[in-house]
Each structure stands twice: as structure tokens, then as C-alpha cells.
Amino acid sequence: TAKLSPEKLLCQLRDRVNVTMIQGSDGPFGTSEWQQYLPGKSLSETVGHLGRCAVVSSAGSLKSSHLGQEIDSHDAVLRFNGAPIKGFQDDVGQKTTIRLVNSQLVTVEEKQFLREALYNTGILIVWDPAPYHAEIHEWYRKPDYNFFESYKAYRRTHPEQPFYILNPKMQWQLWDILQENSLEHIQPNPPSSGMLGIVIMMTLCDEVDVYEFLPSKRQTDICHYYQKFHDHACTMGAYHPLLFEKNLVKHMNQGTDEDIYTHGKATLPGFRKARC
Ligand code: NCC
């Protein structure tokens, strides 16, 4: 369904999607109070130059995949939301370099978020669904979930752990490219954490292996590898434009169809490799 060649698409993503974290220079975050909370170093300074990276979706099809060792062999691993490792190492590995969480989790599940050891490993990044191409000020006044107090509370108890707020502009820059490359009209809802995480890793790494985002032969209606909850929408999407995200990743995949089928693995080049 994608209209651009994979190479051109990669260049569009590289040039039009600004992957940045909120900094003091971003309008309402310029106060001395926010200066104490926002990390001093940029994300790329914190992680350094990364070679091979893995993005681990939370899909039920990871169950019994035995992909753990392969996932851990990467220089960096990105995971999502409350996806656990304990008890699932054989299938999902145990390395966590970055954990991308949505603002709903940080707000609605605040108690667990502030308490559970799961979140204390690696670098945290939180994102919030912003209004379409809204200015930072507008979004700051009316975030989808008001996670700012919970963010501050976490920073106070874990001041040494890098914890970033994703600049909300990114989600709509990415959504525009999804829409331009789809034949159907897409509901204007932000991309899933999965797609945001993939693009974040494409900015940091030479190569990105994405696990069970494009479902393997283990495809199942079980939503997560860590829960017994069935919902077809988890894989195909309802609120998030998941199906379109998956088409885009399939289009850019540099690996084989066999790798998708047996390992649920798609391989994407990092933006550094793009020749535009
Ligand atoms: O389920 P979730 O996503 O945490 O999954 C992370 C990412 O993995 C990919 N995925 C997941 C399941 C599946 N069967 N196939 C997949 O491809 C998706 O790319 C997904 O983004 C989210 O995107 O943040 C989401 O978060 C949950 C929930 O808020 C968190 O898990 C915290 O509890 C949302 N579920 C609900 O609100 C009920 C989900 O819609 C999106």
C-alpha cells in the first residue's frame, strides 16, 4: 500500500520526524522548577552511539518464542509500558536499555509506576497523545493524561535514572507520513508506543531489529505475552493506526519474510545509514 520506495520513505522519516525530548528551551518547561526535573544530558549523549538494537513489542506471540538470547545479543533493547522480564527471560530476554511508557500508565497506574522495580532499570521515556500539531503550550495546558506531577514524583525518588518526556510534535510528524503512504483515510489518533519506539531507535542505532510487531506464525489473539487477555484489536489496532504502522514497517523491512514468519523479526536501517 505504501506509495514511496523504501529508500525514499526512510529519508522522509529521517528528515521530517523530529525525535527530540522536552528541554528547558521548550516554552512552559523553561522554569527553574522544571530545570531541576528534566535530565541535564540529551538522550543521545546518555546512550552514546548504538550499533544493533532490538525493539520488543508486547505481543502475545512472543510467548514460547525462545527469542530471549537473540534479543539480549543486541547493544540496546527497547521495551514498552509494563512489559515484564521476570519469568519471561527465555522469550523476551533480560536487557532493558530504554523503556517507553505512555502517559496513561504513568497517571492511571501511578501507584504501580512509582512502586514497581520493573521501571527502575534503564532509561525511561514517557509520551502523551497531543492534539494534532498542537504547540507545546497548548499541549502543556491540556495533556491527554496529566502525568506531570507523577513524572516529578518519580524524578524525586529516582534522581539518577534518566527519564525523558518525548516532544509531542514527533507523533504527528510521524502520523502525517503514515497517512501519506496509506490508501485509506486514517483516524487522527497518534501512533502506538510500538511505532514511536521503533522510530526513536532508528535515530539512535545503526540497525533496528523489531520483534513481533509484524506477527510471526505464533500470531494469536492473546494481547500480551504476560497476560491471559484476548483482544484482536491489540495486534490490528483500534485507537492507534496499528495496521498502517505495520504496513509501513513491512515496506521498509530489509530482512526476509522467513525471518518474519519464524522469528517475528523485521530489520530496519537506522537513519545514519539513509542515503538521501
Ligand atoms: O499494549 P501495549 O500498547 O502496552 O503494547 C506495546 C506495543 O506493542 C505492540 N503490540 C502490542 C500487542 C500486540 N498484540 N501487538 C502489538 O504489536 C504495539 O505497537 C504497542 O504499542 C501503547 O501503545 O502504549 C499501548 O498501551 C496499552 C496500555 O495503556 C499499556 O500497556 C499500559 O497498561 C494500551 N491498552 C489499553 O489502554 C487497554 C494499548 O491500546 C496501547
Side-chain angles (χ1 to χ4, degrees):
T1 43
K3 293 173 184 169
L4 294 173
S5 69
E7 295 75 23
K8 289 215 168 95
L9 190 52
L10 187 69
C11 292
Q12 291 274 309
L13 286 172
R14 188 196 72 172
D15 296 339
R16 291 172 53 198
V17 184
N18 240 315
V19 180
T20 53
M21 305 296 144
I22 291 289
Q23 295 172 296
S25 51
D26 292 310
F29 296 91
T31 63
S32 57
E33 199 219 352
W34 270 111
Q35 273 339 279
Q36 297 174 0
Y37 286 110
L38 296 173
K41 278 197 204 170
S42 73
L43 175 62
S44 61
E45 279 174 315
T46 302
V47 298
H49 183 122
L50 297 172
R52 294 174 58 245
C53 297
V55 172
V56 185
S57 95
S58 304
S61 45
L62 272 158
K63 193 104 187 80
S64 307
S65 67
H66 306 292
L67 285 166
Q69 273 201 350
E70 177 175 329
I71 289 169
D72 281 344
S73 77
H74 292 79
D75 300 323
V77 178
L78 181 138
R79 303 180 191 275
F80 300 101
N81 297 318
I85 289 160
K86 229 177 168 180
F88 303 96
Q89 289 98 326
D90 188 40
D91 292 331
V92 303
Q94 49 191 349
K95 189 184 276 187
T96 304
T97 315
I98 302 179
R99 184 175 289 273
L100 178 63
V101 298
N102 66 41
S103 56
Q104 181 186 355
L105 179 143
V106 172
T107 313
V108 181
E109 299 169 42
E110 179 178 12
K111 276 214 185 70
Q112 292 97 299
F113 177 66
L114 296 178
R115 198 177 46 210
E116 282 179 17
L118 166 75
Y119 300 106
N120 304 346
T121 305
I123 298 162
L124 289 172
I125 304 177
V126 59
W127 76 277
D128 176 71
Y132 185 74
H133 287 301
E135 275 310 310
I136 303 265
H137 278 99
E138 184 193 344
W139 166 69
Y140 185 74
R141 274 194 305 272
K142 257 183 113 213
D144 197 29
Y145 286 92
N146 200 331
F147 67 96
F148 297 120
E149 288 313 312
S150 178
Y151 171 86
K152 289 176 187 171
Y154 192 97
R155 292 288 289 157
R156 284 192 294 271
T157 47
H158 304 88
E160 302 303 326
Q161 187 182 6
F163 188 0
Y164 295 93
I165 301 171
L166 187 63
N167 190 314
K169 290 196 169 163
M170 173 200 175
Q171 55 193 268
W172 293 110
Q173 293 163 343
L174 176 56
W175 185 90
D176 285 343
I177 294 175
L178 283 165
Q179 176 62 87
E180 287 166 19
N181 288 281
S182 305
L183 295 171
E184 287 162 72
H185 175 75
I186 310 180
Q187 291 263 82
N189 295 324
S192 71
S193 295
M195 191 66 212
L196 295 172
I198 290 168
V199 176
I200 290 171
M201 286 315 239
M202 287 171 83
T203 67
L204 300 173
C205 312
D206 293 331
E207 190 169 88
V208 183
D209 288 329
V210 184
Y211 291 94
E212 291 291 0
F213 186 66
L214 304 183
S216 68
K217 62 182 177 189
R218 292 177 298 273
Q219 176 163 16
T220 166
D221 274 358
I222 297 171
C223 187
H224 296 133
Y225 67 82
Y226 52 91
Q227 283 175 334
K228 289 223 164 61
F229 168 68
H230 288 250
D231 187 356
H232 181 68
C234 290
T235 305
M236 304 311 272
Y239 171 75
H240 297 296
L242 210 50
L243 194 62
F244 302 98
E245 299 170 10
K246 294 185 183 207
N247 283 336
L248 204 76
V249 168
K250 177 77 170 62
H251 190 58
M252 289 190 296
N253 179 32
Q254 294 193 326
T256 63
D257 286 349
E258 165 70 15
D259 262 343
I260 299 174
Y261 184 71
T262 55
H263 304 298
K265 171 176 154 180
T267 302
L268 305 179
F271 292 141
R272 279 195 288 265
K273 277 204 194 156
R275 292 283 160 266
C276 304

